[in-house]
Amino acid sequence: MVEKYDPQMKNHQMSAWLDELKQKLNHMDDAEIVEHRMGTSASVYLVYIKTLIDPERLNETIIQPLDRSAGDSLSSCITNAKVSDVISIDDAEQKIMQGFVLLNDSVNDQWLGVQLENPLGRAVEPSQTETVIYGAKDSFSEQIDKNITMLRRRLPISTLKTESFTIGSLSKTKVVLLYIDGLINPEFVSLARKKINSVDFDQFLDSSQLAAFIEDHNHTVFPQFLQTDRPDACAYALGEGKLTLLVSNSPFALIAPITFFHLIQSPEDYFLRWPVASFLRLIRYGSFVVSLTMIPFYVALTTFHYQMVPLPLLYVLLESRSKLPFTPFAEGFFMIITLEIIKEASLRMPTKTSQTLGVIGGIVIGQAAVEAGFASKVLIVLMGISAIAFFLVPNYQVTKSMVLLQILLLILASFLGLPGIVIGLIGILAHLHALTSLGQPYLAPIAPFYGKDWNDLFIRGPLIWMKTRPKYLKPLRKWRQEMKK
Amino acid sequence: MKSLSLYNRTSTLGGIYFLFLVNRMQMHYFILIMPVYLVHSYMVWAIVVMGLLSQLNLMMMSKWFTSSYAAKGYQGFLQLFGKRAVQIFAILGFLIILLKISIVTLGYVEMLHSFIFPSMDKKWLILMILLISLFVASHGMENTLRFVVIAFLCGAWIVVLFIPFFFQADASYRDLYPLIPTEWSGQSWQGLWFIWSAFSGPVYLAFMVPWLSSNKKISKYLVIGNMLSIMEYILLFVASVLFYGSHYLRKIDFPIGYMGSYIQTSGLERIDYILISFHMFNYVFDISILLLCFYGAGRIFMRKMKERSTRIGLLSSWFVILISIILMDQWLWQTVPGQKMLLNLQIWIGACIYLLIPTILFTAVKRKESM
């Protein structure tokens, strides 16, 4: 329950708070409780944590005005910062931990708080995870207010609403829910609110952790919130009728509801000319299928279906596999795991050593595996194609999930060949089909079928044709054009 | 006992779903063996005539879809026929569905066994197909019905690959003559029944109305779906007549499958392996829907409609189907007379229910409305 400020609370107990605060800030070397003499020789207590506040602003905003004060009240002295009342000892503690400086107003027997949070953080930088050639280059940072500013600059409308929540008993993480009022389906907002309010955990260090608590299905490899650090992608999603969640100290926003197809699409699709964007999008879908099925298909062919390989190619395949002691499954599994080890190592290692890793991975392991008889040349080529195809999928979380699906298909292919792969695909599609993101079907607009939304599915239709917002989102404002409102 | 929300609904499916449902439910095992039963080129008219009669039947069913009794589901049937009759229908439906699932699965497994895995024990194939169907069905009736879109997208393209058979150098258009039958034998009648039975799939939609929209425009989609099936049947039949000729056609088990084995590219041969594998999407969809109907029928005759559906219930139904298929395979399917008997039984039962169910429902609604 939120405590409200009651003027009657200006009682003598306020002075007792100082002792209580001293108690709470005990053994905190960076906490300071300073008695400051004002110009009128009256004294005021300042309580703050010096590592959380900006010392320069403390001097400019509080110390200097207090020194110049001629008996005015504290709140009238401090003019270039917002002064808020402290209503309880818990509120005082919370404010101190949020970068406030607390002042004891002995004249009025009350405590005041001035927010002087240290604006420590990195500058606005280009996105490292979703790079584009064209389009905006800024990306979110760990400072939530700065992230909201980036969105407000893109959507300077009063209907862009922000609602704040605090989650995590230890981390006290701030979460901001953004949506465009009067456009988004209100059900999404109320469902998101309900889910965030029901979160109960101690620490949230990244938005992905929040997603794990509020997503509809936990036991799946597919993300149901789109994580992005691009403000333009968030603004576009908000304009379509989706909502965005920003989490303090995380540069990644969460967008929902999403469909599986959003994970394959890139923000740049909307900045290129539509035939080019459509072509690239189709290549990405193709790469998704290739990366998932190429190695299992190789295993199916070499284990069960040699008849499918034309004779000239069969010679190459047989020659390449003739000295291998392993089954195609073992060979494929070994290479997939090796590739994953290399990929994981390249992410964790310092940048300067990545060249060495490239040499070790590409030449030593690749060539040596063939020469030592661990893998066939054909498989190495297919692994290369498959690995590059993986990188075409823009969403990193999906790329990681795909490896697990690839192994599943590999196992099925080793048991049942091509029908095994198809059984696996049916299973994956049925699973995707049953998933929901914020209550909305994950395979929309295919199943459920929304024909009109197909102009932004496999191809990215011309923007002038995209006159309506996606139907599966059931937005309150269907038309994108102002005239047809 | 853990409950499972199999028959819940959050929204109704309408419009284009009817098109997909009608089309995919008519595209199962029978389309693969259809040329063996039709044989003569003039039987292309049988497809057309039976297809048009099927249109009439679907129009009649569309009246049922829009009736208030249909939308009420089980309660609607109770109002129309009474509890006792509904239980008897449920027992009959239980057996009919069991037979259909068994024959569809055995037929497809037979094809997989002949073409792709001649040395593999068929039980593994049966088990895998039933397992994946159980997985699809476990997501509930609404999701399974929606899965038809995926089944359509992953299966409808197969027929397009048979178009080149019309333009092959050795495709003699003289094989298409005579187009007017010069003789009419018992086999021709059987061909007619066969086609009628092959088109009977959508009859099961009559029991799924609570999940489907009762919009008056649905008849358009039913007609288009059926037309699409007619075109696919004609295309495959004419292609097979052109490829084999009528005389040779009756000697082949799986004419469509063998035709597929002649499709090849410079990078891959034996494309039939891919086609047969992808055809599984249809079967899995069909079996999943029928499995849910089977469990539903079981709940009705065991008087458990007031209780929630359970995992144990679904699994038990699945086991009954698995055991029935394995036993049928062991005792009947592996012998030629047994296989023929089962196929004939399915042809007759399929044809009869497609004739009777829409008529009975149509008449019952009319009678009730006039009362």
Side-chain angles (χ1 to χ4, degrees), chain B residues 68-215:
Chain B
S68 59
Y69 297 101
K72 288 177 198 160
Y74 174 63
Q75 294 302 329
F77 280 99
L78 285 185
Q79 285 173 14
L80 278 178
F81 303 106
K83 202 170 182 181
R84 196 87 189 148
V86 169
Q87 274 191 323
I88 294 167
F89 287 153
I91 294 170
L92 283 174
F94 190 82
L95 296 173
I96 290 168
I97 294 168
L98 184 63
L99 184 75
K100 180 164 180 174
I101 297 180
S102 306
I103 288 173
V104 163
T105 312
L106 283 173
Y108 181 62
V109 165
E110 175 80 22
M111 195 156 175
L112 277 178
H113 191 254
S114 319
F115 280 82
I116 305 180
F117 298 117
S119 58
M120 188 180 276
D121 189 345
K122 277 200 269 185
K123 288 187 193 76
W124 285 110
L125 297 170
I126 294 170
L127 183 71
M128 289 307 287
I129 291 171
L130 285 186
L131 270 176
I132 194 69
S133 303
L134 175 70
F135 178 68
V136 174
S138 68
H139 292 112
M141 183 62 100
E142 191 179 325
N143 274 326
T144 309
L145 281 170
R146 274 198 189 134
F147 191 73
V148 72
V149 185
I150 294 163
F152 183 86
L153 292 176
C154 296
W157 57 272
I158 293 173
V159 75
V160 177
L161 296 188
F162 288 85
I163 291 175
F165 285 101
F166 283 80
F167 309 107
Q168 282 193 341
D170 55 349
S172 169
Y173 281 84
R174 285 184 183 176
D175 285 333
L176 292 180
Y177 295 118
L179 275 174
I180 297 162
T182 49
E183 54 174 336
W184 194 259
S185 60
Q187 199 196 10
S188 309
W189 283 113
Q190 202 188 12
L192 278 180
W193 267 123
F194 177 88
I195 287 293
W196 181 247
S197 180
F199 282 133
S200 71
V203 80
Y204 293 95
L205 290 178
F207 310 104
M208 298 168 200
V209 183
W211 293 273
L212 302 170
S213 159
S214 51
N215 193 316

Side-chain angles (χ1 to χ4, degrees), chain A residues 308-342:
Chain A
M308 288 184 76
V309 187
L311 204 55
L313 209 61
L314 190 61
Y315 287 135
V316 179
L317 195 63
L318 289 177
E319 190 272 328
S320 147
R321 281 199 45 78
S322 57
K323 288 172 190 166
L324 294 186
F326 303 117
T327 60
F329 168 74
E331 185 195 2
F333 186 75
F334 166 74
M335 285 313 292
I336 288 176
I337 297 296
T338 308
L339 187 70
E340 277 313 298
I341 291 169
I342 294 170

Side-chain angles (χ1 to χ4, degrees), chain A residues 206-224:
Chain A
D206 187 61
S207 55
S208 56
Q209 288 177 303
L210 171 64
F213 278 86
I214 60 174
E215 61 193 4
D216 296 350
H217 310 267
N218 288 120
H219 308 297
T220 174
V221 293
F222 294 99
Q224 293 134 61

Side-chain angles (χ1 to χ4, degrees), chain A residues 7-61:
Chain A
Q8 298 299 319
M9 286 290 288
K10 288 194 264 176
N11 53 42
H12 301 291
Q13 282 184 341
M14 287 291 178
S15 54
W17 284 11
L18 188 63
D19 296 330
E20 235 176 297
L21 282 173
K22 278 181 185 169
Q23 189 92 27
K24 283 185 185 288
L25 302 177
N26 197 15
H27 297 299
M28 284 176 68
D29 286 347
D30 52 349
E32 295 209 337
I33 300 176
V34 185
E35 187 181 5
H36 184 80
R37 293 229 160 259
M38 293 165 69
T40 54
S41 77
S43 67
V44 60
Y45 278 99
L46 306 179
V47 185
Y48 56 88
I49 294 176
K50 63 181 178 189
T51 47
L52 287 179
I53 63 150
D54 183 353
E56 276 183 31
R57 283 188 68 207
L58 173 67
N59 193 35
E60 284 167 17
T61 315

